[in-house]
């Protein structure tokens, strides 16, 4: 499901509805001549946490508008395989489009996330995150795709996200994601370090047997990704007619 967070100036907006209402793909496509599409004069980032598609955990993606500093959509499924999910992300990237005619894509590369890169490479998706060496003084950009999660990087990601929420910088009219964020706690790892995680509970929206904080990771990753997308150059930047002067992704 795709959740339009707020209407945007474009060909036609989704009818005014509560921000937490999810619209199915079929609903959005029921009238092809009036299909809602985001403002193509803006820049979008899609971040995703990848599940295995077996129903035990969700794959989740958050879509962020860099210009408005606003979460504009989320996509969630517990039944798509990593390969299917990667194709959906690419379709969403081109559909959201924007100044580059595609959204900047960032995903968690661990585990099933490795399949995303295989699909991105085969389909030649042009704009995606390349790993940044965070402990290097110059924070050099590598050629390795995708964000890698480990104990330290995940903690830093979530701390930055929590800070953005506390300062009201991360704007997201998404009740489910906010409730999931509220359930996050810090656990003692036993080695003197704390690990962030969410308590298990039945997910009542996608059929996942337990929640694994997928919406939180997707939101935290999009907050990180929207701050890094400008580091991937502006080669091939296409500004649609009417774009503000000096606009960069």
């Amino acid at each position: 499901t795709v959740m339009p967070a707020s209407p945007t100036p474009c060909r036609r907006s989704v009818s005014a509805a509560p921000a937490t209402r999810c619209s199915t793909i079929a609903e959005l496509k029921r009238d092809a001549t009036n299909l809602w599409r985001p403002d193509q004069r803006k820049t979008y980032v899609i971040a995703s946490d990848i599940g295995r598609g077996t129903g035990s955990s969700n794959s989740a993606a958050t879509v962020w508008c860099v210009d408005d500093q606003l979460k504009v959509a989320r996509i969630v499924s517990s039944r798509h395989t990593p390969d299917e999910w990667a194709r959906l992300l690419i379709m969403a990237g081109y559909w959201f489009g924007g100044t580059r005619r595609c959204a900047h894509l960032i995903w968690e590369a661990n585990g099933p996330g490795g399949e995303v890169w295989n699909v991105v490479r085969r389909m030649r998706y042009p704009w995606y995150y390349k790993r940044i060496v965070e402990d290097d003084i110059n924070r050099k950009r590598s050629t390795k795709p995708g964000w890698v999660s480990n104990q330290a990087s995940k903690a830093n990601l979530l701390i930055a996200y929590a800070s953005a929420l506390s300062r009201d910088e991360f704007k997201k009219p998404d009740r489910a994601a906010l409730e999931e964020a509220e359930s996050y706690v810090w656990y003692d790892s036993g080695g003197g370090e704390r690990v962030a995680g969410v308590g298990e509970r039945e997910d009542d929206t996608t059929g996942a047997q337990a929640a694994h904080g997928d919406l939180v990771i997707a939101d935290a990753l999009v907050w990180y990704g929207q701050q890094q997308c400008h580091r991937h150059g502006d080669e091939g930047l296409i500004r649609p007619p009417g774009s503000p002067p000096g606009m960069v992704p």
Side-chain angles (χ1 to χ4, degrees):
T1 57
V2 179
M3 183 201 69
S6 63
T8 55
C10 52
R11 275 190 265 171
R12 183 171 177 177
S13 298
V14 173
S15 58
T20 54
R21 179 185 178 276
C22 292
S23 301
T24 65
I25 296 295
E27 287 175 329
L28 291 176
K29 288 184 175 179
R30 64 175 173 235
D31 184 357
T33 61
N34 292 309
L35 180 61
W36 175 87
R37 199 175 184 210
D39 191 335
Q40 293 301 285
R41 297 170 299 174
K42 298 181 179 180
T43 300
Y44 300 91
V45 176
I46 300 178
S48 182
D49 182 31
I50 320 295
R52 297 192 179 277
T54 59
S56 61
S57 65
N58 290 328
S59 290
T62 294
V63 186
W64 181 266
C65 177
V66 178
D67 303 77
D68 294 338
Q69 288 292 284
L70 177 70
K71 177 176 178 177
V72 295
R74 64 171 156 86
I75 314 169
V76 184
S77 172
S78 63
R79 296 298 178 183
H80 285 76
T81 65
D83 178 88
E84 293 169 339
W85 185 254
R87 293 172 186 273
L88 190 151
L89 292 177
I90 289 172
M91 286 189 290
Y94 281 120
W95 185 78
F96 275 93
T99 55
R100 280 179 175 261
R101 297 188 178 176
C102 65
H104 182 67
L105 185 60
I106 178 171
W107 67 93
E108 185 176 1
N110 304 56
E115 180 60 26
V116 173
W117 169 236
N118 292 334
V119 176
V120 168
R121 180 179 55 194
R122 288 200 308 269
M123 300 188 73
R124 298 182 180 181
Y125 189 81
W127 199 27
Y128 55 87
Y129 172 82
K130 298 180 183 69
R131 221 162 293 165
I132 293 173
V133 184
E134 295 290 354
D135 57 357
D136 183 90
I137 192 169
N138 295 316
R139 298 181 71 245
K140 294 180 180 179
R141 179 165 57 97
S142 72
T143 58
K144 298 179 180 178
W147 176 83
V148 172
S149 173
N150 54 46
Q151 189 166 308
S153 66
K154 185 176 181 180
N156 291 336
L157 187 80
L158 291 172
I159 289 171
Y161 172 56
S163 297
L165 286 176
S166 67
R167 295 192 300 266
D168 199 28
E169 294 176 348
F170 192 103
K171 301 173 185 176
K172 58 171 183 178
D174 186 349
R175 183 178 301 168
L178 283 170
E179 290 176 350
E180 190 172 282
E182 288 177 347
S183 68
Y184 251 71
V185 295
W186 289 93
Y187 296 97
D188 186 353
S189 66
E193 296 183 355
R194 296 193 304 165
V195 179
V198 65
E200 290 189 353
R201 59 177 173 81
E202 188 68 22
D203 189 293
D204 60 0
T205 59
T206 62
Q209 296 173 6
H212 296 271
D214 314 281
L215 295 177
V216 170
I217 296 300
D219 278 0
L221 197 54
V222 87
W223 179 251
Y224 172 77
Q226 66 99 16
Q227 295 171 328
Q228 310 302 326
C229 65
H230 68 281
R231 298 197 61 190
H232 295 272
D234 59 358
E235 308 84 20
L237 175 64
I238 300 173
R239 294 181 175 87
S243 298
M247 186 176 176
V248 295

